[in-house]
Amino acid sequence: MLDDMTREDSTIASALQRAVEVIAAADALLITAGAGMGVDSGLPDFRGAEGFWNAYPPYRNLDLHFDELANPDLLARDPALAWGFYGHRLNLYRKTPPHAGFSILRRWAEKKPHGYFVFTSNVDGHFERAGFPAARVVECHGSLQYLQCAARCRNDCWPADGASVAVDHQTMRATAGLPQCIHCNSIARPNVLMFSDMHWVRARSDAQYALYERWLTSFGEDHPARLAVVEFGAGKAIPKVRVEGQCTADRVGGTLIRINPREASTPDNHIAISLGALDAIQRIEELLRHY
């Protein structure tokens, strides 16, 4: 057992050192992040039914799963129950500060001569709260910090700054403050991609993608750059972030550094680190100081 632990520590130490070399040598940085990035801030990652119910025990009693709550059909059927779920999350994301790793990542990114981008499936808005410019972030599933009309009366969204949803934590139902559309006064919904969702207004996300693609296409013979892709907490269940980071690294000849305590496996030419996001960031930062 001790030998196994020693080998594991040695493997992680070696991977961290390789990551430091790649990040230090990179001209550009792509940060990709799934739900595991927010765990160190104290946010739930909804991993499996048990993980979701542990975060929200009342839904266990109601036998409701994440995909049933994050669904436009529920919003149409029972807006108070749907907004109880999203209102609680909106309030949680607002009151929870991003962990220290976000600021460290921003310092790394801002030093890169060819710039950086963030690609995340998280809807908490924490990268922008941590100081990343909106023009450098792709939120591929949207953001709870924005609202849209549930009936999609127009193809736009607006900031949720003025929305305040009161939630009964026993029933997880919204008791007051259901947001309304600013155009037609019907019920509003979060501007996030739900399950079986045909009504998500993706104009904001599409605009983010356009800026991101423009940045990626700037990598070429006229402007060669060494890209480091650093991925945090992106699982296999919904692999969009994992696929994006690995495909982008392969597309421009970059190196993927996958940081995940449970699902860190990568092809041999990339780097796997079996640690949590904040732990890995802090260890890499310490090594970079002495590099």
Side-chain angles (χ1 to χ4, degrees):
M1 179 66 72
L2 187 59
D3 287 345
D4 290 343
M5 292 176 62
T6 301
R7 278 194 294 270
E8 182 178 347
D9 290 344
S10 176
T11 299
I12 290 174
S14 176
L16 287 168
Q17 187 59 47
R18 287 178 61 207
V20 167
E21 293 166 3
V22 168
I23 292 169
D27 303 303
L29 186 65
L30 173 60
I31 300 162
T32 66
M37 182 64 178
V39 169
D40 292 309
S41 299
L43 299 178
D45 68 359
F46 303 152
R47 182 179 171 84
E50 284 301 320
F52 175 63
W53 285 337
N54 287 338
Y56 291 104
Y59 292 131
R60 184 194 298 272
N61 299 332
L62 295 170
D63 195 29
L64 285 171
H65 296 251
F66 178 66
D67 59 344
E68 295 172 295
L69 290 156
N71 196 302
D73 288 343
L74 179 64
L75 190 73
R77 263 191 348 265
D78 193 340
L81 183 58
W83 264 113
F85 175 58
Y86 279 113
H88 182 275
R89 290 175 66 193
L90 179 60
N91 296 337
L92 177 65
Y93 295 161
R94 282 175 173 168
K95 74 180 182 181
T96 303
H99 61 71
F102 284 86
S103 296
I104 297 172
L105 287 175
R106 185 161 58 87
R107 289 201 299 272
W108 296 353
E110 289 172 348
K111 293 176 181 177
K112 299 306 176 187
H114 204 79
Y116 65 92
F117 240 94
V118 172
F119 186 99
T120 181
S121 59
N122 296 338
V123 299
D124 51 35
H126 274 198
F127 277 99
E128 289 184 41
R129 277 190 60 191
F132 285 86
R136 289 285 172 180
V137 179
V138 177
E139 293 157 309
C140 64
H141 291 166
S143 172
L144 263 177
Q145 308 303 327
Y146 286 81
L147 302 175
Q148 66 170 82
C149 179
R152 198 169 178 171
C153 72
R154 298 191 189 183
N155 193 43
D156 72 353
C157 63
W158 60 91
D161 297 347
S164 179
V165 182
V167 178
D168 183 327
H169 290 180
Q170 298 302 312
T171 64
M172 293 303 292
R173 300 181 68 84
T175 57
L178 267 63
Q180 292 182 305
C181 175
I182 61 174
H183 303 300
C184 69
N185 292 324
S186 63
I187 191 167
R189 54 163 276 185
N191 182 231
V192 299
L193 178 62
M194 303 181 188
F195 290 89
S196 306
D197 195 350
M198 302 298 292
H199 298 288
W200 179 43
V201 172
R202 57 179 304 147
R204 179 174 174 271
S205 183
D206 285 347
Q208 293 175 328
Y209 266 106
L211 292 173
Y212 172 56
E213 280 298 321
R214 191 181 308 163
W215 178 67
L216 286 179
T217 55
S218 70
F219 290 75
E221 292 182 4
D222 295 335
H223 298 90
R226 289 166 294 186
L227 175 68
V229 180
V230 191
E231 176 194 296
F232 298 98
K236 295 179 180 178
I238 302 178
K240 191 169 188 175
V241 170
R242 292 173 73 93
V243 171
E244 179 64 32
Q246 187 166 323
C247 287
T248 299
D250 292 339
R251 169 180 162 186
V252 302
T255 301
L256 169 67
I257 303 164
R258 173 165 287 150
I259 295 168
N260 192 307
R262 293 180 294 262
E263 298 175 330
S265 59
T266 65
D268 290 342
N269 56 321
H270 298 303
I271 301 169
I273 302 176
S274 300
L275 294 174
L278 180 57
D279 187 12
I281 292 168
Q282 290 175 329
R283 292 201 204 187
I284 292 171
E285 171 74 348
E286 183 63 26
L287 291 169
L288 280 169
R289 288 198 189 108
H290 300 94
Y291 184 72

